[in-house]
Amino acid sequence: MAEVNRVWRLRKRPVGMIGDDVLSLEQEQIPEPSDGQFVFRMNYLSLDPTNRIWMSDMDQYMPPVAIGDAMRGIVCGTVVKSSNAGFVVGDIVSGLGTWAEYQVGTTATVGKMGPLGGVPVADAFGLFAAIGPTAYFGLIDIGAAKAGETVVVSAAAGAVGSVVGQIAKIKGCRAVGLAGSDAKCKWIVDELGFDAAINYKTENLAEALKRTCPLGIDIYFDNVGGDILDACLKQMNLKGRIPLCGLISQYNATGEVPGPKNYPMILMQRLKVEGFIILDYASRYPEAIDALAQWMQQGKLKFHVDMHEGMENAVSTLRKLYTGENQGKLMLHVA
Ligand SMILES: NC(=O)c1ccc[n+]([C@@H]2O[C@H](COP(=O)([O-])OP(=O)(O)OC[C@H]3O[C@@H](n4cnc5c(N)ncnc54)[C@H](OP(=O)(O)O)[C@@H]3O)[C@@H](O)[C@H]2O)c1
């Protein structure tokens, strides 16, 4: 075991894009487990848009990370010391932890990863910890996707979006993805099987949505909010659904964010807009994991991990989410 632990601590609230001075990488002692606890060494750190929310003190669904605290993160690691009869050295665990190479785990926040059925650990962690269930429950439970419907998803070449489009296809829907580059658009159509893709940075969005969704939009799976939400609202069908999964276009906003101009469409088209946080579905995770694992085994679902290296690169890698430099699930290989 290395003698030193490296921990990213929050030093100040970010303003706009996360600056280099928002977190600092500290050298600390490796913790010891108390009764009922275990210590694990982080193998993979999931980098998620919500990390930016947790760093801020905006209204949010969990308490913000306190200044001086270790940064919160979704983590996967290997048990190196245990004072809990249920965990032995070598167990692979995942859950809600911190940006620390070594950290204490308890069953309240971290659990053993089940049999992986041949799926590599990083893929299983990336897909099953949060992303896959988010796509699954957002589209099936909240979106109530039905065969023959048209599903539009934003950030479609990202982690959640890439899975949403593929589940839409599995459910017999037309899947249209919005992404920020031609390469991403090509990838989601050619490799992931989307019916169509729109580069929202270069195309006229209203025209492109008309062309790719000739029967209108039944479900808009919103990962970004802002102008893209507005453009989709305008073309929603009667009784359409908008699972509101994320608002990444405004996480770095420094001023007030204007509301959607096309808000009246919710009334005129009798739309259902429902925000959701995946933590609320914790008790139903097995349902999503079973379905996702089966689709992977059947070759119907592809999952791409965009892997980067090194604890020291956590912040610079995280920033890629807000500049669109990631494709698939952004993750850091730590050890
Ligand atoms: N509700 C929940 O429980 C839950 C759980 C997980 C994730 N989420 C949310 O789901 C969304 C996607 O998360 P993810 O983990 O899958 O991330 P991701 O899609 O892998 O990465 C973020 C992507 O967002 C796009 N983006 C960044 N800034 C944008 C902007 N200003 N306008 C439009 N697109 C922008 C970029 O792609 P382009 O190149 O296409 O711009 C980027 O690659 C986020 O909003 C996140 O907060 C919610």
Side-chain angles (χ1 to χ4, degrees):
M1 204 190 279
E3 281 168 13
V4 177
N5 193 14
R6 288 190 298 170
V7 181
W8 279 103
R9 292 195 176 273
L10 187 67
R11 292 298 165 207
K12 59 192 275 201
R13 305 273 173 220
V15 179
M17 184 64 95
I18 305 155
D20 285 337
D21 54 352
V22 169
L23 296 112
S24 62
L25 187 58
E26 309 287 340
Q27 300 214 338
E28 303 183 4
Q29 279 194 329
I30 295 170
E32 289 291 326
S34 306
D35 228 20
Q37 297 180 333
F38 48 91
V39 168
F40 63 95
R41 181 177 193 182
M42 182 154 63
N43 301 122
Y44 299 107
L45 172 63
S46 174
L47 294 169
D48 298 283
T50 201
N51 294 157
R52 172 67 177 75
I53 297 176
W54 295 341
M55 287 175 199
S56 78
D57 56 6
M58 68 190 281
D59 290 334
Q60 53 193 282
Y61 57 93
M62 289 174 93
V65 175
I67 301 294
D69 276 6
M71 180 57 201
R72 182 189 297 141
I74 302 172
V75 299
C76 171
T78 308
V79 173
V80 292
K81 243 184 191 184
S82 180
S83 298
N84 180 314
F87 291 80
V88 296
V89 171
D91 279 348
I92 309 282
V93 295
S94 68
L96 205 55
T98 60
W99 290 20
E101 284 176 319
Y102 292 89
Q103 50 194 288
V104 169
T106 69
T107 49
T109 49
V110 178
K112 263 190 247 187
M113 283 179 68
L116 304 178
V119 180
V121 174
D123 291 38
F125 169 56
L127 182 62
F128 301 145
I131 298 302
T134 301
Y136 179 92
F137 291 116
L139 185 63
I140 292 175
D141 212 66
I142 296 181
K146 290 187 284 294
E149 291 188 318
T150 296
V151 175
V152 172
V153 58
S154 46
V160 173
S162 62
V163 178
V164 168
Q166 293 180 83
I167 299 177
K169 290 305 298 174
I170 290 166
K171 292 290 169 188
C173 301
R174 176 172 174 77
V176 176
L178 273 54
S181 76
D182 290 344
K184 287 184 178 184
C185 287
K186 187 169 162 38
W187 180 63
I188 63 174
V189 172
D190 293 353
E191 299 292 325
L192 305 186
F194 282 57
D195 294 287
I198 299 170
N199 180 340
Y200 72 92
K201 288 185 179 167
T202 58
E203 296 186 62
N204 176 311
L205 197 47
E207 284 171 13
L209 284 170
K210 281 213 170 72
R211 186 183 74 244
T212 55
C213 308
L215 302 178
I217 304 170
D218 298 296
I219 301 172
Y220 167 53
F221 191 106
D222 193 10
N223 281 320
V224 305
D227 292 343
I228 292 178
L229 167 63
D230 249 322
C232 290
L233 269 172
K234 194 75 181 161
Q235 297 189 34
M236 292 297 296
N237 288 333
L238 197 66
K239 290 279 184 184
R241 285 86 68 201
I242 303 184
L244 176 43
C245 175
L247 296 163
I248 195 167
S249 74
Q250 51 200 56
Y251 293 167
N252 289 323
T254 49
E256 272 191 14
V257 176
K261 288 191 287 286
N262 292 323
Y263 186 74
M265 290 297 288
I266 299 171
L267 174 65
M268 305 312 165
Q269 294 293 69
R270 291 77 144 181
L271 305 179
K272 185 173 147 192
V273 182
E274 187 175 343
F276 71 102
I277 297 294
I278 195 54
L279 297 171
D280 304 339
Y281 282 90
S283 63
R284 288 180 59 192
Y285 257 46
E287 174 191 335
I289 290 172
D290 284 353
L292 294 160
Q294 208 174 12
W295 291 330
M296 271 190 108
Q297 273 154 15
Q298 294 167 346
K300 294 179 179 168
L301 177 66
K302 291 183 186 162
F303 189 66
H304 177 66
V305 175
D306 187 345
M307 189 69 81
H308 294 256
E309 292 292 329
M311 186 68 172
E312 63 284 1
N313 296 320
V315 178
S316 57
T317 308
L318 176 66
R319 283 195 284 255
K320 293 180 186 296
L321 291 170
Y322 315 99
T323 53
E325 288 170 81
N326 68 305
Q327 185 166 306
K329 175 73 196 98
L330 190 66
M331 201 183 285
L332 200 66
H333 178 231
V334 176

